[in-house]
Amino acid sequence: MRRTSPFPIVALAAATLLVGGIPPDVGSPPMGRTAAEATNTATVFYYTKTKNWPATYLHYAPDGGSWTTVPGVQMEAACTDWVKETVDLGSAAGLQATFNNGNGTWDNNGGANYALGTGDITVKDGVIAHSDPCAGTDPVEGNEATVYYSTATSGWTTANIHYAPTGGSWTTVPGVGMETACTGWWKKTLDIGTATSLKAAFNNGNGVWDNNNSADYTLPTGTTTVQDRTVTTAAEDPCAAEEPDTEAPTAPAKVTASATNTSIVISWEASTDNTAVTKYQVTRTGGTKGTVVTDVGSTVYSDTGLEELTGYTYTVKAVDAAGNTSPASAAATATTGEEAPEPASGTPLGTDPRKDPIYFVLTARFYDGDSSNNRGGSQHVKSGNAANNDPMFRGDFKGLVDKLDYIKALGFSAVWVTPVVLNRSDYDYHGYHGYDFYKVDPRLESAGASYQDLINAAHAKGMKIYQDVVYNHSSRWGAKGLFTPTVYGVRDSEWSWYYDEKNEGFEYDGLTVDPKSGKSYYNGDLWSTAEPSGNTCVNWGKATGGKSSEGYTLYNCQWPSPTSGMFPKAYYHQCWIGNWEGEDARSCWLHEDLADFNTENTAVQNYLIGAYDKYIDMGVDGFRVDTAVHIPRVTWNRRFLPAIYDRVTQKFGTAAAQNFFVFGEVAAFVNDKWNRGSVNHSAQFYTWKERKEYSADDETAAIEQFTYENNLGTGNQPTSTNAFLSGNSYHTPDRSQFSGMNIIDMRMHMNFGDAQNAYNNGKDSDDSVNDATYNVVYVDSHDYGPNKSSTRYSGGTEAWAENMALMWTFRGIPTLYYGSETEFQAGKQIDCGPTCPLASTGRAYYGDQLAGTVTASEFGKADTASGQVATTLAQPLVKHIQRLNQIRRAIPALQMGQYSTDGISGSMAFKRRYTSGSTDSFALVTVTGAATYTGIPNGTYTDAVTGDVQTVSNGTLSVAAPGKGNLRVYVLNGPGKIGSDGPYLK
């Protein structure tokens, strides 16, 4: 459904921030020192460079006292660009202050005044900090320590060193200001008298500390660097001119080569270098073309168009920016097979989607093939992910390419990936907060492992890519190229951590760190303290009277919302959903993270159609449609679905369009056939064309459709026999009224706490679906477990095996959420947003289970496996799935067949048949209990599980109960036993 933070953005404070005090990870003043003694004075420093005032006055009032007479007290020069004034506070603990030029020009903190404490205080462009910016460094006789401190990772805009020479006293908190040395580095030379070392901690002057995890730093005399808690003594000046790079990278390790038909995929572990590896050189020998050298930007390379039945050898070298080249890697060899009719690059496979079981991955949580694109975002610390070294964006396309053979070894031939478009929010790894729909998120891509590379690599292995797409909403920051809102962003002492300094020309891409702020979640391009021209947001910049969870003042127009006037009515809806089964569920916002498109607007339609045309052109094999129920069916049927199929036809032909698989999430979390009696909000409703003409205007038509169908009610909806046998005979389905959208089987999903219950509920809805043989069936997902559980399914291995046996043999397309093959994170909360670490949820990182190598040349079988992935492939449910996929792949009736329970006794027992041309496949299935089949065709039936042969001469066949997690599939004139006995199928 939707992937949102469980709280408003106003609660998203940086975990390390505690204004005016020591941060939570320090807990008290840094180890080995005491807080500054109480004082009744405040020395106020004011930054004048950006004001260019001829004089500066401090107008103030001690807490509880009276204001000075306007304009206040003239401040005196302190040092370059700074003036100061020391104020006697008497018994007060602080003061209210404003500044002016003595001639009517004021800085009063946007009307809020400045709340200042005691000691040394700086006010610089609205930001309050605590240090003396003019602290001198006059040299005196004694030992010296020159300290360089790196803020490249933290993004601090100033740095102080708080220190004590060994045997001496600590400086007063926050210490002394450090000087800018070069980009990302601060420097201070300290006189420590006769001491030979010192204790030190660092801070940003505003309460955020680095005290070496409360242990402080021990630094000697001489030059020392401190970078990311690593201390280097007797260090070179990090800002000195660099020496020429003559060091070569290390040789690439663990090179593997895997052949599929006449393509070979080569992968290897990244080399290391003293600077950075810029490319790899892949050398191929073998075949008639001799030696071929290819430059590659990533650690995976797909070599295609090779000769049949030919051995090839590959070595890899790494090259850095200076041209230094590593030694060659160890050689890897592979032999091609026979040439097969493979699709061209970027061409969908175009086969019947019912043949392809689906493996569903959250790309960012599956396997990390390239750590350089990992990003934690603004919630990295607060969520607890930082403590686990587990950034939310961790897995990527390269990791998915690397592990396609794992998915193939399981037996899956389609991979459903979460949305790939550039996302934008504070917790957007899942992909459902789209911002630039025309751009693939760089946090998922690598050089040589782009989204196109993933599609091509999957196709080369005979595997499809189904892309998760969102038409209903953008992120709260709007949609680039359509509309993005301007928000109120005051960079005061409370909010400067969140609103970045303006940086003209910097463009958010989710990956690049803004050089001014040091943040990867840059938002400065979308805020303005000054009210923008044409503003429609009411009470721009005025305090709301509320506070954030940190106690910060909240302002109007600070956060995007549908009722603020920040979004144009033409492009976005202007309301919150009130009735989830009412019309407003299709025309209002779900959550503030999900800005609801006005999908009845032509400009919005064109924006979305144009965006998704791009991915169709790349050759994806289908779309999983997110939040489909929140767009009127008439809009889907008039605009979006025809656009999808027209584009596929235009690019790849009619046959490809017929098999382009669109399946929608029509969320209905109830057990009844029709969702609380509302046909407009029931999954099967979306599989049908409209049965009357509505007004030409799409917005009017949406209301008309809702009212018309609602008034007709559940008893007057179309029905279908497309999923059902006629006796024992298969009949050509009637797809003339098919809308173009298939569905996720929400009713079976909701009832999969028990396989029998899921089976009964599924059957009950099939006559109202245009063709239920296309239903996508799963037990749990990234949103819910059965019965709308918020945890991953935890019914036990035997129950999982039974569920799988049903899914792989009953009508529909079996689909598995990543990790369920090992009961990964069973019983864990699926999603808790940034309130808990991902490692403790159902969206945990799966890559640890996949470490090692695996190759698979056919579906449902690993050719080779080593390392942890070999252990994973040995798990009982993995063996179960592999054999289920082998059986399903060999029996067309289980893939595309219609079904019937007529003449059958048994709890989960049915017959299925598929007939097309020379293919006539007829199967009798019982999932758990005993069954008797009467009125069936005479002939020889062979069980695909045990190989048992039964001859039927009187139209009756009886089967003993195979037991929970087991299965029997008797096939008329069948192929015999398929696969080997496992823990359940035996």
Side-chain angles (χ1 to χ4, degrees):
M1 192 171 176
R2 57 218 55 90
R3 272 49 59 179
T4 61
S5 304
F7 45 77
I9 182 62
V10 296
L12 304 182
T16 56
L17 183 64
L18 187 64
V19 175
I22 305 301
D25 63 339
V26 176
S28 60
M31 183 177 289
R33 71 193 81 103
T34 60
E37 295 181 358
T39 178
N40 290 324
T41 64
T43 300
V44 181
F45 294 85
Y46 188 75
Y47 187 66
T48 61
K49 184 175 182 179
T50 53
K51 299 299 182 185
N52 199 29
W53 289 347
T56 304
Y57 291 80
L58 171 65
H59 181 49
Y60 71 92
D63 291 348
S66 301
W67 285 88
T68 55
T69 303
V70 174
V73 181
Q74 185 171 355
M75 305 181 75
E76 63 185 40
C79 56
T80 303
D81 299 327
W82 290 92
V83 295
K84 72 175 182 178
E85 182 67 25
T86 299
V87 176
D88 184 353
L89 298 176
S91 61
L95 68 155
Q96 293 284 309
T98 64
F99 305 88
N100 66 91
N101 69 350
N103 197 30
T105 300
W106 289 82
D107 172 7
N108 61 4
N109 194 22
N113 298 333
Y114 290 97
L116 308 179
T118 60
D120 292 334
I121 307 165
T122 63
V123 179
K124 181 180 179 182
D125 296 336
V127 177
I128 300 170
H130 301 271
S131 64
D132 180 354
C134 303
T137 58
D138 293 336
V140 293
E141 294 297 323
N143 294 330
E144 287 187 343
T146 299
V147 182
Y148 287 87
Y149 183 72
S150 172
T151 57
T153 300
S154 67
W156 291 355
T157 55
T158 189
N160 299 313
I161 181 170
H162 180 52
Y163 71 98
T166 302
S169 301
W170 284 89
T171 55
T172 301
V173 173
V176 296
M178 303 183 77
E179 305 149 4
T180 300
C182 57
T183 303
W185 286 96
W186 299 79
K187 173 186 177 183
K188 193 70 175 177
T189 298
L190 306 172
D191 175 72
I192 57 175
T194 59
T196 58
S197 64
L198 67 148
K199 287 281 192 178
F202 305 89
N203 65 85
N204 71 346
N206 204 27
V208 180
W209 286 82
D210 171 8
N211 61 8
N212 195 21
N213 286 329
S214 298
D216 298 326
Y217 293 96
T218 300
L219 309 177
T221 57
T223 301
T224 304
T225 61
V226 181
Q227 183 176 29
D228 296 334
R229 294 200 174 97
T230 298
V231 175
T232 304
T233 60
E236 298 291 332
D237 180 351
C239 298
E242 294 183 357
E243 294 293 327
D245 178 15
T246 59
E247 183 177 336
T250 61
K254 297 184 179 178
V255 180
T256 62
S258 172
T260 302
N261 298 117
T262 54
S263 297
I264 296 177
V265 175
I266 306 96
S267 63
W268 55 92
E269 287 190 351
S271 298
T272 58
D273 187 57
N274 61 318
T275 55
V277 174
T278 57
K279 67 178 181 179
Y280 294 90
Q281 293 178 340
V282 180
T283 299
R284 182 188 77 204
T285 57
T288 60
K289 294 183 180 180
T291 301
V292 177
V293 179
T294 304
D295 287 345
V296 178
S298 68
T299 57
V300 62
Y301 172 56
S302 296
D303 201 4
T304 60
L306 301 173
E307 298 166 43
E308 292 182 287
L309 307 174
T310 302
Y312 290 92
T313 299
Y314 296 86
T315 58
V316 185
K317 295 180 180 179
V319 183
D320 66 15
N324 299 307
T325 303
S326 76
S329 69
T333 61
T335 301
T336 57
E338 294 182 350
E339 186 173 0
E342 296 177 354
S345 175
T347 301
L349 294 183
T351 55
D352 192 312
R354 294 173 295 179
K355 295 180 178 181
D356 301 301
I358 302 169
Y359 191 78
F360 170 35
V361 300
L362 268 71
T363 308
R365 307 302 302 156
F366 185 61
Y367 189 75
D368 189 4
D370 177 7
S371 61
S372 70
N373 58 14
N374 292 0
R375 291 294 183 272
S378 65
Q379 301 304 294
H380 189 47
V381 174
K382 182 168 185 167
S383 63
N385 292 337
N388 295 319
N389 192 26
D390 183 29
M392 60 172 183
F393 267 96
R394 189 171 179 184
D396 45 42
F397 294 143
K398 184 180 184 304
L400 197 46
V401 169
D402 286 349
K403 299 305 175 184
L404 283 175
D405 272 17
Y406 168 76
I407 299 172
K408 186 169 185 176
L410 294 178
F412 293 94
S413 50
V415 184
W416 159 13
V417 296
T418 40
V420 305
V421 305
L422 175 61
N423 265 232
R424 186 167 189 169
S425 78
D426 293 278
Y427 216 52
D428 56 359
Y429 65 95
H430 41 63
Y432 297 95
H433 295 171
Y435 173 67
D436 188 344
F437 287 67
Y438 285 77
K439 181 181 180 67
V440 176
D441 201 308
R443 291 168 289 188
L444 298 175
E445 293 197 303
S446 307
S450 66
Y451 186 40
Q452 186 69 70
D453 292 326
L454 168 64
I455 294 167
N456 295 347
H459 287 173
K461 294 181 179 294
M463 302 170 71
K464 295 180 177 179
I465 295 293
Y466 294 151
Q467 178 178 329
D468 210 322
V469 295
V470 185
Y471 287 76
N472 178 66
H473 57 264
S474 71
S475 73
R476 68 160 72 90
W477 302 114
K480 184 181 178 184
L482 181 69
F483 173 79
T484 55
T486 299
V487 302
Y488 178 75
V490 55
R491 298 191 75 243
D492 59 11
S493 59
E494 293 180 337
W495 289 109
S496 61
W497 66 274
Y498 187 81
Y499 292 104
D500 298 339
E501 185 178 354
K502 208 74 171 175
N503 189 355
E504 298 297 338
F506 185 91
E507 184 174 349
Y508 169 83
D509 65 5
L511 182 68
T512 305
V513 176
D514 169 45
K516 281 192 175 181
S517 70
K519 301 173 183 175
S520 61
Y521 49 96
Y522 181 84
N523 53 42
D525 57 340
L526 298 180
W527 71 265
S528 174
T529 299
E531 185 170 359
S533 60
N535 170 56
T536 56
C537 186
V538 180
N539 295 320
W540 175 270
K542 294 182 179 179
T544 66
K547 299 285 186 179
S548 74
S549 63
E550 302 85 6
Y552 302 161
T553 300
L554 298 179
Y555 300 92
N556 285 304
C557 312
Q558 192 171 14
W559 314 114
S561 79
T563 56
S564 64
M566 298 172 74
F567 289 82
K569 185 177 181 181
Y571 297 156
Y572 285 90
H573 290 131
Q574 307 284 300
C575 52
W576 297 104
I577 292 177
N579 177 7
W580 288 86
E581 276 70 51
E583 198 284 324
D584 59 342
R586 307 184 305 163
S587 58
C588 295
W589 287 37
L590 306 171
H591 188 278
E592 69 174 52
D593 275 331
L594 311 177
D596 198 81
F597 282 130
N598 178 3
T599 49
E600 286 63 66
N601 176 275
T602 301
V604 174
Q605 292 169 356
N606 291 342
Y607 175 83
L608 293 168
I609 290 169
Y612 291 123
D613 278 353
K614 168 183 175 176
Y615 304 106
I616 291 171
D617 292 353
M618 293 173 74
V620 296
D621 301 277
F623 287 160
R624 180 267 186 183
V625 181
D626 182 73
T627 50
V629 71
H630 299 290
I631 295 176
R633 186 181 74 178
V634 67
T635 304
W636 284 115
N637 288 351
R638 276 186 176 183
R639 308 301 174 197
F640 296 131
L641 292 170
I644 291 170
Y645 290 107
D646 287 349
R647 185 67 170 197
V648 179
T649 301
Q650 173 190 341
K651 290 291 292 184
F652 306 113
T654 302
Q658 289 173 342
N659 287 315
F660 189 88
F661 190 46
V662 178
F663 58 106
E665 178 209 27
V666 183
F669 303 114
V670 293
N671 295 335
D672 47 356
K673 182 172 183 176
W674 296 98
N675 183 11
R676 296 182 177 91
S678 174
V679 295
N680 285 278
H681 296 88
S682 299
Q684 59 268 39
F685 181 76
Y686 278 74
T687 66
W688 296 94
K689 288 182 178 180
E690 304 306 328
R691 44 186 167 170
K692 74 182 297 288
E693 288 293 324
Y694 301 106
S695 297
D697 175 71
D698 284 353
E699 188 169 352
T700 302
I703 301 296
E704 291 174 347
Q705 181 223 45
F706 181 88
T707 303
Y708 176 77
E709 295 290 356
N710 216 42
N711 288 340
L712 282 179
T714 62
N716 293 289
Q717 296 300 313
T719 59
S720 169
T721 62
N722 285 341
F724 306 118
L725 292 173
S726 177
N728 290 316
S729 299
Y730 178 87
H731 63 93
T732 301
D734 178 6
R735 305 271 285 173
S736 62
Q737 296 306 305
F738 175 53
S739 66
M741 182 182 290
N742 300 287
I743 55 172
I744 294 170
D745 199 318
M746 298 301 293
R747 197 171 177 197
M748 287 193 73
H749 164 50
M750 282 291 98
N751 287 280
F752 253 119
D754 176 76
Q756 181 70 59
N757 201 31
Y759 171 70
N760 291 340
N761 277 272
K763 286 194 305 175
D764 185 49
S765 294
D766 284 353
D767 64 344
S768 61
V769 180
N770 182 270
D771 191 341
T773 66
Y774 288 84
N775 284 10
V776 170
V777 183
Y778 57 63
V779 173
D780 62 358
S781 73
H782 56 332
D783 284 327
Y784 294 107
N787 300 312
K788 206 178 180 181
S789 166
S790 61
T791 60
R792 288 193 75 158
Y793 180 69
S794 58
T797 309
E798 188 176 75
W800 249 124
E802 183 180 45
N803 285 341
M804 291 171 177
L806 174 61
M807 286 194 292
W808 261 258
T809 56
F810 190 44
R811 58 96 187 116
I813 303 169
T815 301
L816 198 71
Y817 183 38
Y818 81 100
S820 290
E821 65 271 24
T822 62
E823 297 178 85
F824 182 62
Q825 299 295 91
K828 297 293 181 65
Q829 186 173 357
I830 293 172
D831 174 33
C832 59
T835 64
C836 69
L838 282 165
S840 67
T841 72
R843 299 179 181 181
Y845 176 65
Y846 195 56
D848 295 338
Q849 315 294 317
L850 304 179
T853 61
V854 57
T855 61
S857 57
E858 60 184 272
F859 292 102
K861 179 182 178 182
D863 297 333
T864 63
S866 63
Q868 178 59 41
V869 71
T871 302
T872 299
L873 286 167
Q875 299 306 302
L877 286 179
V878 170
K879 296 297 184 185
H880 189 56
I881 291 170
Q882 286 177 314
R883 194 167 184 213
L884 284 171
N885 272 320
Q886 292 170 4
I887 291 171
R888 188 178 189 273
R889 194 169 293 276
I891 303 171
L894 300 184
Q895 302 167 34
M896 301 166 288
Q898 296 163 343
Y899 77 96
S900 173
T901 58
D902 292 345
I904 303 173
S905 66
S907 54
M908 283 186 285
F910 45 89
K911 54 188 175 184
R912 297 191 66 185
R913 192 169 203 156
Y914 176 73
T915 305
S916 178
S918 61
T919 299
D920 185 12
S921 176
F922 184 75
L924 308 174
V925 178
T926 183
V927 174
T928 301
T932 298
Y933 306 83
T934 60
I936 60 174
N938 292 331
T940 301
Y941 291 78
T942 306
D943 180 19
V945 177
T946 64
D948 178 55
V949 177
Q950 296 287 336
T951 301
V952 174
S953 57
N954 60 353
T956 300
L957 188 150
S958 294
V959 181
K964 194 168 185 176
N966 211 337
L967 180 70
R968 295 291 180 260
V969 183
Y970 280 86
V971 183
L972 179 61
N973 300 319
K977 182 176 181 178
I978 300 169
S980 303
D981 289 354
Y984 294 104
L985 295 179
K986 53 188 178 182

